[in-house]
Amino acid sequence: MSLFRVREWWGIKCGVGEEFDRGSLCVGDVDNERTGGDKIVVGSLSGMLRIYKPQKNAYFPTDLLLEKQLEAPILQVEIGKFIPNSKDNALGVLMPRKFAVYTIIKEGTNNGDFLGNDPKESTSNQIEGYSVHLYYEHPLQRLAFNFCYGPFGGAFGKDFVCIQSFDGQLSFYEQDHFTFQRFLSTSLIPGPICYSKSIDCFVTYNSSMEVEAYKYQMLAASSGSNQKEQVNGKKVKATWTVNVGEEVYDIFVGRYSQNVSSGQTEVIVVGEHTLFTIKENGELSSQMRLDYFPAAAELYRTGNDSTQKQKLLLATHNKTLMVYKDPKLIWAAGTSTIPVSVKIGTFAGIKGMIVLLDDEGNLTVNYLGTGAISNPVPTLEAKDVDYEQLEEETKRLQQIIRRTKRNQKDEMVERLIIRAQIPNSVDPESFSANAEHKRVTIKLYLSFTGEDSILENLMLNINVEKPFYVTQPTIYIETLKGGSQITPVIMPITVYGGNGCTPRTLEASITAIYHDPTSQQPKTAFCNFLLPFGLCGSIIPAKKITTHKVTLETNRLPLPMLSLFEDLISHDDIETKNLVSDNILTFQFSNGLDVTVLISKNAGRYRIQSSSFETLFIMSKELIRRLKDCSQVMQKEETTPLKIEFTENIPFYSYFDIIDEHFKNRKGLKVYYEQLDNLAHQFRSIQKRLLIRYKDKNPTSINSLDTLFENTYNEILNTSLKIDKTQSSLKILSHSLSCSTSLILLLIQLNIGLSDNEMEVLENYITPVVNDDIPGWEETVDSALAFLLSTTLTKNPKDKPIEEPEELQNTTKLKKRFALVFDRLHNFKLLPAEKEQQQVKEKKK
């Protein structure tokens, strides 16, 4: 919002209930008075034509020179040299089905030489003595949209007219004679149009969001565009085209930029969000982003020198008038309305007055600057200081400040509280069911702390990762009463265990979205929790498969297996208890894969082994969590803190096999897509050949095209089936790679002893979220590791931006960078010590 406002010098409301548009206003010497003052011509969509001549800084009835009701709505009014064999000005009025030229004459003057032939129509204003005469008119075959005028083709001392219709037809008139009409092939919806005298071109905007220019001579020479549906003949081609990519409000031709050379002009395009300047040859010269939506624009010159640079006047939808002098904003002032048209004129000998017209007919003449001071600054009298009164005022203000701070604290206390009560194990009836039908019922407690407040339209979103699912992921609550004495609302939520894949995490969250009852501002509340591990599967007879294994070492005595995983066994299920011994347990997931946990009898070692590498992560993560929980319970008995380590070699070879398999499937899917594109192109070509043969009047042999057609169709079906199969396989491998990446990150943390803050940094480079788009996971991680090795994990770090991922041909370089990062993590810190301490303090807060 601007600090200044435009100063209204003159104003009037044009009619009642009438509407006006951007073409409803023009300013100039319409009556050829030549006294140095301009007149304001206003035409409404109701067909009312008015001419004003402001003479003083207030409206007087004598300022209205003429008022005439025309037979049709007025779309646009312009002042130009439209009279044949005369250099006097006339008024061009565009109506939907007619273009008319009027002359405005003051009664009592010798008008015979000026008028020539007897006029077809004459109407006088008896009060002011002005009359409007219809000199000639052109009926239009199509509905008109707008028009432009100028000395087309190098004409001297006269203006020709180009009228654009709603369907893109351009009709050209050399004053009172029709010349030709052309359709623009790119026109679907009409846009602004402007004429450039220096290059003899028409600049317009099409529905493809392009600004294009057409030479007048090219339009006149073309012969095949008299009808829009005509396809023969010489079509109209644009001299140049510039893609602006947004809606265009208006187009001007002038000298706006500071770097435009002498004798040249440029095209100024006012877009919806951007101001463009285009050179005469169609080269985009500059563009400036606008922070507002333009409502009206005008290009003007402060002096009479044609070589002088021009300024741009922009009126916006936020009631602000902007003045630009390339490339800077030199002034901004507020307006009382949103103008639809803005012009510059001279009134009462004052140059540079701004004329504004809005859509309701509020017409004002304004100027920029400030008004004179109406009230002088009073002289302050010296008074004795009353210190007691000042002290009382200070106490009163301090009380207000404390009261305000207390209210702010109360507002902070008013929030939605979500608490989740999660049982330790699945529902009792789920122990005997298979993994897919296992479920757990969670109780949500919802309460709002605001006293005597009611929350309305509360929305809860439940987020769980696959294979878990909920039947109703979004819950709507109409009202929730607030207050400390109100009992919390209890909502049961049932989470089911699926069988699609191995779980990667047990984390789940609930997000609440609501509006504050006092301020109506949108707010959110969160609640994160862990699902019971029993939801993943069930205990089966022990297996000893050592294809993949991980050994965790602790500094504590081993714990019994039943005490670690007691929630997986029902109290009444004696058969399942017999499957678990003191040092071995085998757990089968919902997708059929299993994992075994072995506990050493003497030392605090725990081994997790399985035939599938991906299943090791969720069991290792859960085992570490349970060991930490038991350590906190026995914290009083133990003096040393729990320490969990992984001292073996990181299983990179198994991990790299999964990466290779995932990368191979991605590349194979890309090859299948290319084959499908080639087959589809071949299929369309055969179709065209067959259609041509069938349409021939003299039938010829198809030369086995039908066999080729059938074989190509079968190949398309086979390739589509291969794509479906590869996509399903890639989906499984992506999840397997995600679980395996999480396992590798966990083992690196336990092996090197990285802090949680350092692990957050490492996960940003080696992300467990697998993306199969372009660029894929391999390309993204390879680029991130290259950046990490050259910046943080090096003696001489380089300050350089991360490069765009490049498509990999193989995974050799990615594997080498994995190994190199692991080696350097032993010698370099991912986070400086000061920064890590700062993050720890922030988390505690």
Side-chain angles (χ1 to χ4, degrees), residues 539-608:
I539 298 174
I540 61 172
K543 294 182 180 181
K544 293 186 178 181
I545 302 174
T546 59
T547 307
H548 305 285
K549 58 183 179 180
V550 169
T551 303
L552 304 179
E553 297 184 4
T554 66
N555 58 346
R556 300 284 179 83
L557 293 175
L559 297 174
M561 189 70 71
L562 285 173
S563 62
L564 276 175
F565 296 96
E566 61 180 353
D567 57 293
L568 301 181
I569 306 170
S570 176
H571 297 290
D572 303 330
D573 194 354
I574 301 175
E575 182 179 353
T576 305
K577 285 184 179 180
N578 295 333
L579 297 177
V580 182
S581 63
D582 291 338
N583 63 339
I584 185 170
L585 177 144
T586 300
F587 188 84
Q588 187 178 50
F589 292 99
S590 57
N591 58 349
L593 300 177
D594 55 72
V595 62
T596 301
V597 181
L598 296 169
I599 301 178
S600 175
K601 295 182 179 180
N602 301 320
R605 288 196 299 269
Y606 301 84
R607 173 174 291 179
I608 303 102

Side-chain angles (χ1 to χ4, degrees), residues 470-540:
V470 292
T471 57
Q472 191 177 359
T474 303
I475 300 175
Y476 296 94
I477 302 176
E478 293 184 359
T479 57
L480 178 66
K481 293 184 178 180
S484 57
Q485 304 299 325
I486 302 297
T487 305
V489 176
I490 303 175
M491 294 193 63
I493 296 175
T494 304
V495 182
Y496 295 88
N499 59 357
C501 57
T502 304
R504 191 182 72 87
T505 180
L506 299 176
E507 295 178 357
S509 64
I510 294 177
T511 305
I513 303 173
Y514 64 98
H515 285 80
D516 187 89
T518 305
S519 62
Q520 295 301 317
Q521 295 294 324
K523 291 188 177 182
T524 56
F526 303 94
C527 178
N528 300 318
F529 55 90
L530 292 177
L531 297 172
F533 186 69
L535 203 62
C536 301
S538 56
I539 298 174
I540 61 172

Side-chain angles (χ1 to χ4, degrees), residues 10 104 310 410 419 465 496 691 738 783 838:
W10 180 92
I104 311 299
Q310 294 172 287
D410 294 341
R419 186 171 58 88
E465 289 201 15
Y496 295 88
L691 289 173
S738 177
S783 177
Q838 184 180 357

Side-chain angles (χ1 to χ4, degrees), residues 357-526:
L357 175 69
D358 67 3
D359 58 349
E360 295 180 353
N362 294 307
L363 178 66
T364 57
V365 178
N366 311 270
Y367 62 92
L368 301 178
T370 57
I373 299 177
S374 57
N375 297 322
V377 179
T379 304
L380 298 177
E381 296 180 0
K383 293 183 178 180
D384 295 334
V385 179
D386 189 349
Y387 291 100
E388 293 181 357
Q389 185 178 359
L390 289 177
E391 187 176 357
E392 292 179 359
E393 180 71 12
T394 303
K395 291 180 180 180
R396 187 180 65 84
L397 293 176
Q398 288 177 347
Q399 289 178 358
I400 295 175
I401 293 172
R402 284 194 294 268
R403 193 182 310 117
T404 304
K405 289 183 177 180
R406 194 182 305 115
N407 293 337
Q408 289 178 352
K409 291 182 180 179
D410 294 341
E411 290 178 2
M412 295 297 293
V413 172
E414 292 185 0
R415 59 191 179 91
L416 178 67
I417 299 176
I418 306 176
R419 186 171 58 88
Q421 182 181 354
I422 297 89
N424 294 328
S425 60
V426 296
D427 295 347
E429 58 270 18
S430 298
F431 282 102
S432 59
N434 56 30
E436 184 179 2
H437 298 287
K438 287 182 179 295
R439 67 176 186 268
V440 60
T441 302
I442 300 169
K443 290 183 179 180
L444 283 185
Y445 293 85
L446 304 175
S447 59
F448 184 65
T449 57
E451 296 291 341
D452 300 329
S453 300
I454 298 178
L455 287 185
E456 296 181 351
N457 301 324
L458 177 65
M459 182 173 68
L460 298 178
N461 293 324
I462 303 126
N463 303 307
V464 293
E465 289 201 15
K466 292 181 179 180
F468 311 118
Y469 65 92
V470 292
T471 57
Q472 191 177 359
T474 303
I475 300 175
Y476 296 94
I477 302 176
E478 293 184 359
T479 57
L480 178 66
K481 293 184 178 180
S484 57
Q485 304 299 325
I486 302 297
T487 305
V489 176
I490 303 175
M491 294 193 63
I493 296 175
T494 304
V495 182
Y496 295 88
N499 59 357
C501 57
T502 304
R504 191 182 72 87
T505 180
L506 299 176
E507 295 178 357
S509 64
I510 294 177
T511 305
I513 303 173
Y514 64 98
H515 285 80
D516 187 89
T518 305
S519 62
Q520 295 301 317
Q521 295 294 324
K523 291 188 177 182
T524 56
F526 303 94

Side-chain angles (χ1 to χ4, degrees), residues 42-236:
V42 180
S44 71
L45 296 178
S46 301
M48 183 64 72
L49 180 66
R50 298 179 180 90
I51 301 178
Y52 297 93
K53 183 182 179 182
Q55 302 178 34
K56 297 181 180 180
N57 59 350
Y59 175 75
F60 291 92
T62 54
D63 293 343
L64 178 61
L65 303 183
L66 186 139
E67 186 175 23
K68 176 178 173 56
Q69 177 68 51
L70 302 184
E71 64 273 15
I74 300 174
L75 304 180
Q76 187 177 347
V77 289
E78 297 291 349
I79 299 173
K81 301 182 185 332
F82 303 130
I83 304 298
N85 304 318
S86 175
K87 295 183 179 181
D88 290 322
N89 292 330
L91 180 64
V93 180
L94 180 65
M95 290 170 273
R97 289 288 185 178
K98 182 173 66 173
F99 175 76
V101 173
Y102 295 93
T103 57
I104 311 299
I105 302 173
K106 189 174 182 179
E107 289 186 345
T109 59
N110 187 9
N111 304 324
D113 295 336
F114 180 78
L115 295 177
N117 299 328
D118 294 335
K120 301 178 182 178
E121 183 179 343
S122 177
T123 303
S124 299
N125 189 320
Q126 299 298 331
I127 299 176
E128 298 296 336
Y130 279 82
S131 60
V132 55
H133 298 263
L134 176 64
Y135 199 86
Y136 62 83
E137 64 180 19
H138 295 295
L140 304 177
Q141 298 177 358
R142 300 174 183 272
L143 283 174
F145 179 74
N146 58 4
F147 79 96
C148 66
Y149 66 96
F152 305 161
F156 178 75
K158 53 185 175 181
D159 292 328
F160 299 157
V161 177
C162 172
I163 301 175
Q164 180 179 209
S165 65
F166 267 92
D167 54 358
Q169 184 193 59
L170 299 183
S171 301
F172 295 87
Y173 298 89
E174 294 185 358
Q175 294 181 337
D176 57 345
H177 298 291
F178 169 76
T179 53
F180 63 92
Q181 59 187 18
R182 296 289 181 264
F183 269 105
L184 302 182
S185 58
T186 59
S187 177
L188 180 63
I189 299 174
I193 187 170
C194 184
Y195 173 72
S196 174
K197 178 182 177 182
S198 60
I199 56 176
D200 196 24
C201 269
F202 294 91
V203 185
T204 185
Y205 169 79
N206 60 32
S207 54
S208 299
M209 295 188 177
E210 297 173 336
V211 175
E212 51 189 6
Y214 294 89
K215 285 279 189 182
Y216 178 70
Q217 298 297 334
M218 294 292 293
L219 291 171
S222 62
S223 59
S225 299
N226 293 327
Q227 298 295 331
K228 192 166 189 176
E229 58 275 0
Q230 187 173 344
V231 296
N232 299 322
K234 187 177 180 181
K235 291 187 177 181
V236 179

Side-chain angles (χ1 to χ4, degrees), residues 744-757:
I744 292 296
L745 291 172
L746 176 63
L747 297 181
I748 289 175
Q749 182 184 16
L750 298 177
N751 185 275
I752 302 176
L754 299 178
S755 64
D756 292 339
N757 293 330

